[in-house]
Amino acid sequence: PAILREALRSTTPTEDDLRGAWQRAPEIVLGAVDDAVDRDDPFAANLLATAPPERTAEIVRRLSARLLGATWLRKRQTKETRKWLAERIAQRSAGWREAFDFLAELSSS
């Protein structure tokens, strides 16, 4: 876990690497998503793009806690999150209804 955590902070993993990380250690990758969103780091978009569909609802809850009410602080993350949410909704991924509700909340804030 420590090696993966450091690798996610200090390298540029490929999409295949990120998918593997999601399969092997989802809690660490979720932590990396939290960190990237908090730093308004564009790497968050890569982490979200490779997230398994079944993690959508969980990710939505975490993003909601970080972005609602602070969208003006994290303009890049808010924009990227909206795109990710729209993709998950269009794909009807597990958790798409939560994604839809969160997208509506983001749009109104």
Side-chain angles (χ1 to χ4, degrees), residues 32-89:
V33 170
D34 293 345
D35 292 344
V37 168
D38 289 347
R39 291 190 318 270
D40 203 24
D41 186 337
F43 183 55
N46 297 351
L47 293 165
L48 292 174
T50 57
E54 62 271 11
R55 293 280 178 179
T56 300
E58 180 179 14
I59 294 168
V60 165
R61 286 189 297 275
R62 293 171 86 109
L63 291 173
S64 177
R66 287 181 151 60
L67 292 176
L68 285 180
T71 55
W72 61 276
L73 293 173
R74 298 182 182 101
K75 290 181 182 184
R76 178 185 307 137
Q77 292 312 319
T78 301
K79 179 182 173 186
E80 293 298 325
T81 298
R82 283 184 176 131
K83 289 188 329 190
W84 179 77
L85 291 166
E87 289 172 7
R88 292 296 166 118
I89 293 163

